[in-house]
Amino acid sequence: MSFEEVLALPVAVNVSTAAKAFGIGADKAYRLIKQGAFPAQTIVVGDTVKVATASIRKVLGASQ
């Protein structure tokens, strides 16, 4: 995922999109989330997990 694509993400994204931003697969991202080791803030809504885009940008140094 390019710098421009990261900057264009909505406020929260699904785990697959967040994983792409970090250059890892979705399975690894879910494992890291389960272990409490995912580098960005996750938001659990029922059975759905979202990732806060601001935290992805912060970790990647891609703040606007």
Side-chain angles (χ1 to χ4, degrees):
M1 182 172 286
S2 72
F3 182 79
E4 291 79 18
E5 289 171 320
V6 170
L7 292 177
L9 292 173
V11 173
V13 295
N14 61 33
V15 173
S16 296
T17 300
K20 288 178 189 174
F22 289 118
I24 61 174
D27 289 341
K28 177 149 184 132
Y30 278 108
R31 279 195 304 274
L32 290 171
I33 290 168
K34 188 175 181 178
Q35 296 168 356
F38 194 71
Q41 177 188 3
T42 56
I43 304 158
V44 179
V45 181
D47 293 336
T48 303
V49 179
K50 293 289 188 176
V51 182
T53 301
S55 66
I56 295 171
R57 291 177 181 151
K58 183 177 179 182
V59 170
L60 295 176
S63 298
Q64 268 183 322

